[in-house]
Every structure is written in C-alpha cells, then in structure tokens.
Amino acid sequence: MSHVHDIFDKIKQRDPAQPEFLQAAWEVIETLEPVIERNPHMRELAVLERILEPERMILFRVPWMDDTGQVQVNRGMRVQFNSALGPYKGGLRFHPSVTLSIIKFLGFEQIFKNALTGRPIGGGKGGSDFDPKGKSDGEVMRFCQSFMTELFRHIGANVDVPAGDIGVGGREIGFLYGQYKRLSRQWEGVLTGKGQGWGGSLIRPEATGYGLVYFVREMLKARGEAIDGRTTVISGSGNVAQYAAEKILDYGGTVVTMSDSSGFIHDPEGIDRAKLDWIMDLKNVRRGRIREYVKEHPGATFHEGKRPWSVPCEIALPCATQNEIDLEDAETLVNNGCFAVAEGANMPSTPRAIEVYEAGRIAYGPGKAANAGGVATSALEMTQNAQFDRWERERVDAELDRIMTEIHAQCADAAAEFGHEGDLFVGANIAGFLKVANAMLDQGVV
Ligand code: NDP
Ligand code: 2IT
C-alpha cells in the first residue's frame, strides 16, 4: 500500500465518525504522493502524520439565557491546528450543523490556505452549534459573551486570532471583542473583521468575495478569457456571495442567481447594482430570506429547496457551504457550457464533482486558493493593529489583488513543476503543503 493510503487508513481508524475531516484530509494527501517521493526525509520525520493531527483542540460548554428566561446550552470549540507559520488564524462558525468534524475540516484547509497567502499565519478554526438565525440581538450578545468567557484564555494577538465565518459577522465580532477586552484588559488585534471605527481593516468585509473574483480573473486570463459579458451563477447570499457579485458586476459580468438554505432566486435580466443593494439590505440589516426578492422583482423566480446549478452559465461561484455541488450538479454545469468554477465557500464541491471538472478540463479554483482573500486581509488587519495604524481603502485593495494574483501564480507553478500543468487543485495543495512542511522540518519534532 502507498504511504498516503497507509496514513489515511490510520486517521480513518482514529476518527471514523468525522466524514468532513476525512474528506478534506484525503483531498490534500492524495495529491502529495510525488512530493513525499521527492522528499523521502519527510516520511521518517512523519510530517504528514503530524500535519493531520491538530496541535490542540478545546471543547467547552456555552450556557446562556434566552429572552424568555430559559437557560440554553451549546457546545463551543476551537481547533488550533498548526502554528508552524504563525499564530493560529481562522474563523468561527455559528451554525446548528457544527460538529468537531466540520471544525477540523475547516481548520485543516485553513493551514494550507493561510500558507498560500504568504503572510505569517498558522491554521485554526472554531465555532459552535448555536444558531443565530431568529435570535434577538440580546440573545446573540449573551451567547457571544458566554462563548468568549471560556475562549479568551486560549487566544491572543500573538497566539490565536479568530474571525468570522458562517453565522459570524460584524455584530458577533463586536460582542466577542467587547467581552475579550473586558476579561483580558487588553486592547489588541485578537479578532479580525472588527468594526471600521475600532480597529477593523477597510476592505475586510469585501475581501473574500473581491479576492475570489480577482482569482477568477487570473484563472480566465491564463486561458485567454475574461469575465466581461459572461453569465455567473452564485450560491449563498451572505458575506462572500454579496461581494463576489459586486466585483463580477464591476468587471462587466452578469449575475443571475443567489440563494440561501431555503432555495435560490433566478433573475434572467441580471442582478444589477440596485438589486444587489436591495439584497444587502435584506440580508444584513433586515436579516430576511432570499425568497423575498421575487416579491420586489417580478421578473425573477424562487426555486424552493433547490440549488442554482441547473441555471446555464459560464462561471459558477459556490459561496454557501460544504458539499453543495455533487456529481450531477457538476455534470449539469459542464453540459450547460460552464467553463470556470471557483470556490468562495470551503469544500463546496464533492470529490466526484471535482473529477467532473477535471475530466471536462474546465478552470477550477479550489477554495483554499480562491477564497484566501478573506484571511489574507485579516492578516493585513493584524499588521495594521500591531502598528497602531490604519491603511487607506485603495492600499488594502491593491494588496489583496496582489496577493490573489500571486496565489494563482504559485498554484500554477507548483502544478507545472509536479507534472500537472493547469491543475490548480493539485498546485494549491502542493504549494501550501511545502511551505508548512519546510517550516515544520526547520522547527524540529514538535
Ligand atoms: P454567511 O453566514 O454570511 O452566509 C452564508 C450563506 O450560505 C447564507 O446565504 C446561508 O443561507 C448559506 N448557507 C449556510 N449554510 C447553508 C447550508 N447548510 N445549506 C445551504 N445554504 C447554506 O457566511 P459567509 O458568506 O461568511 O460564508 C460562506 C462560505 O464562505 C462558507 O463556506 C465559509 O466557510 C466560506 N468562507 C468565508 C470567509 C469569510 O471571510 N467570511 C472566508 C473564506 C471562506 P442561510 O441564511 O439560509 O443559512
Ligand atoms: O474560511 C476562512 O478563511 C474564513 N472564514 C476567514 C478566516 C479569517 O481569519 O479571516
């Protein structure tokens, strides 16, 4: 049996009930066989085995009182996966589906994503099975305060720096930060995605979506294509989806769908700037559901319980959640003429969907490369906080664009070097892995 199969068997035995983590782990290690062959010392030093085991996992009870006076109990967690390159860095997800398997998969992806950004940040992730949907601001605040009352002793500006993810946006980061500051008596860059008036970086809210589209621009450029005049299908209607849509419009593309967990809206005339502003207000201020779009925009239709991949497009941007494009969705996309898929979400494509992209030779930007703009800009926020400085919008955006362009080049170069020309999936894994593995080798057996 090959080295990577052998290692995978061991992690399966250790954590048989963690399907998302096993999926993310296999997607990386299956592409690393040639790297290990070229670097046999990595085997003896168990680099793969070490990278697959988190440095530390913290699980804790989060009790809080709801508006009726009833006490609720959720589970909190933080997986501090790898600190070879810098302090642990990665988001917090608040969603009822959160399990240790999901947080481990996200933390594992984060290690390589963060390495690709070229910034000094390690990989981590955390969250809770708390559902912010339908909760009052007071309930969300009490939950966040209770969550941070335990988490604060495990994090710090040079230790571990959480941020947002699904269900954690500016409101939650504010409540979490306030409680951290109160408990630690430190005003420091311990969280990113902070408010613009109190240490948050300009462009951080936009960064994942903008960065995704900068990556798409590079991916298409390499094939002599461009976004201008192309039709884009987007899933999700949260932070990443909204700013991906905005940047597609800036580049002259058309966006015809957005979605949430109830279904998708299809607007054949295109979601223009004014309609996108309406969606941003719906989701971010009124905290409404995407189905409400069709009441206001009669040309559009709502498709209950469905995902948007059946709508013909040239570019598909999954920006909702993991495993949202399966084999059949991928086949439909390719058969309808889609030639580029770039992942705003983490692991939105199942392994069989990825096989379809590769067989169809379409441009495929894996999440750990394509959505790295969010964490890259978080790292720029950390730099600004450490310098007690605040950069102009244009400076942060230019830096984000440069980082995304560089990530695309790194992935393309690593793919070519290992005989997989044009395969950014393999390239992202190898380029990210080599940076982390070399740092681990330098730092001894820890
Ligand atoms: P938000 O909470 O802002 O939005 C999430 C969106 O995805 C909502 O439209 C939500 O719909 C939908 N969604 C969530 N869970 C599901 C589900 N199980 N099935 C169908 N739809 C779902 O999160 P973000 O936009 O921040 O995150 C979206 C994705 O991008 C995630 O995969 C995240 O890990 C990834 N990501 C985020 C980054 C960031 O900076 N925020 C950085 C890099 C990646 P509903 O409202 O119905 O739940
Ligand atoms: O998945 C991700 O990269 C994020 N949710 C952002 C992490 C961060 O620290 O900004």
Side-chain angles (χ1 to χ4, degrees):
M1 200 190 301
S2 77
H3 181 54
V4 297
H5 280 93
D6 192 32
I7 288 174
F8 188 63
D9 270 5
K10 283 190 194 133
I11 67 163
K12 255 199 310 202
Q13 274 167 27
R14 188 178 275 163
D15 290 312
Q18 297 186 350
E20 294 86 1
F21 172 61
L22 293 173
Q23 181 184 336
W26 179 246
E27 281 187 12
V28 171
I29 65 174
E30 69 160 334
T31 62
L32 297 178
E33 189 101 57
V35 182
I36 305 293
E37 264 166 36
R38 247 189 237 187
N39 299 279
H41 56 293
M42 287 187 183
R43 220 169 144 150
E44 192 183 339
L45 290 165
V47 174
L48 273 183
E49 291 92 325
R50 282 192 279 149
I51 228 168
L52 283 158
E53 184 64 13
E55 289 176 16
R56 193 173 299 103
M57 293 185 272
I58 301 142
L59 296 176
F60 51 99
R61 179 170 70 200
V62 189
W64 57 281
M65 192 178 282
D66 71 19
D67 285 346
T68 70
Q70 174 67 48
V71 171
Q72 304 284 347
V73 180
N74 286 98
R75 177 173 291 173
M77 51 190 94
R78 184 77 182 163
V79 174
Q80 298 180 332
F81 226 118
N82 193 295
S83 61
L85 297 181
Y88 309 105
K89 180 82 195 89
L92 295 171
R93 176 176 291 191
F94 292 171
H95 193 272
S97 65
V98 162
T99 59
L100 187 57
S101 171
I102 296 216
I103 298 302
K104 276 181 68 186
F105 117 63
L106 290 163
F108 186 68
E109 290 275 300
Q110 201 81 46
I111 303 170
F112 307 99
K113 181 194 307 192
N114 293 5
L116 288 170
T117 69
R119 311 296 304 184
I121 42 179
K125 199 86 185 191
S128 173
D129 57 2
F130 173 74
D131 187 358
K133 235 180 269 157
K135 303 287 191 300
S136 69
D137 287 351
E139 289 175 322
V140 171
M141 181 179 77
R142 290 193 293 279
F143 172 81
C144 287
Q145 290 178 339
S146 181
F147 184 88
M148 187 53 87
T149 300
E150 175 58 36
L151 187 67
F152 96 99
R153 68 188 85 250
H154 307 288
I155 62 177
N158 295 312
V159 180
D160 182 352
V161 183
D165 193 81
I166 291 176
V168 178
R171 174 182 61 171
E172 291 75 18
I173 293 292
F175 294 147
L176 290 164
Y177 192 79
Q179 187 72 349
Y180 178 85
K181 185 163 59 66
R182 186 182 194 192
L183 291 166
S184 67
R185 298 176 300 139
Q186 300 276 341
W187 201 106
E188 57 173 21
V190 69
L191 295 173
T192 58
K194 298 185 290 298
Q196 310 273 305
W198 47 276
S201 177
L202 290 163
I203 299 286
R204 177 61 189 90
E206 296 90 338
T208 310
Y210 279 15
L212 175 67
V213 179
Y214 296 149
F215 192 90
V216 171
R217 183 196 65 208
E218 292 304 302
M219 216 166 68
L220 295 191
K221 204 196 284 174
R223 296 176 168 231
E225 296 276 359
I227 295 167
D228 188 25
R230 297 302 191 177
T231 299
T232 304
V233 160
I234 296 181
S235 67
S237 50
N239 173 266
V240 179
Q242 292 171 17
Y243 290 104
E246 180 169 294
K247 194 48 85 180
I248 288 284
L249 297 184
D250 288 349
Y251 279 119
T254 307
V255 176
V256 291
T257 67
M258 290 185 89
S259 73
D260 60 24
S261 51
S262 312
F264 76 91
I265 53 118
H266 178 205
D267 188 338
E269 288 162 21
I271 300 167
D272 61 16
R273 182 69 249 190
K275 293 172 181 172
L276 183 59
D277 285 344
W278 187 90
I279 291 176
M280 287 182 174
D281 183 68
L282 171 78
K283 300 305 284 191
N284 309 343
V285 181
R286 290 180 279 142
R287 297 188 186 274
R289 308 298 299 159
I290 199 72
R291 68 167 78 231
E292 295 169 44
Y293 182 91
V294 298
K295 278 191 239 148
E296 201 70 22
H297 305 94
T301 46
F302 176 68
H303 303 260
E304 175 103 41
K306 297 242 160 48
R307 299 183 291 210
W309 316 120
S310 59
V311 175
C313 66
E314 280 102 21
I315 301 168
L317 304 179
C319 297
T321 194
Q322 64 276 357
N323 292 328
E324 54 168 319
I325 303 185
D326 61 22
L327 172 76
E328 281 165 25
D329 298 321
E331 283 173 346
T332 307
L333 283 168
V334 174
N335 291 339
N336 282 342
C338 174
F339 59 67
V341 178
E343 298 178 336
N346 287 305
M347 206 169 74
S349 307
T350 64
R352 291 168 75 196
I354 296 170
E355 285 171 19
V356 174
Y357 308 151
E358 303 215 315
R361 301 207 153 271
I362 71 173
Y364 168 49
K368 60 174 78 65
N371 72 37
V375 75
T377 308
S378 279
L380 302 178
E381 184 168 322
M382 290 164 70
T383 306
Q384 292 169 72
N385 292 161
Q387 297 174 336
F388 283 89
D389 197 4
R390 183 170 160 75
W391 301 349
E392 301 292 326
R393 193 179 161 84
E394 291 71 24
R395 178 174 174 190
V396 183
D397 196 20
E399 190 67 3
L400 168 63
D401 193 334
R402 189 192 62 72
I403 292 171
M404 296 313 295
T405 305
E406 171 66 18
I407 291 175
H408 177 268
Q410 275 179 67
C411 297
D413 290 350
E417 193 190 329
F418 283 84
H420 291 266
E421 191 92 38
D423 187 335
L424 301 175
F425 173 72
V426 170
N429 287 345
I430 293 179
F433 172 75
L434 279 173
K435 288 188 187 190
V436 183
N438 287 329
M440 289 173 72
L441 291 172
D442 287 348
Q443 292 169 20
V445 178
V446 293

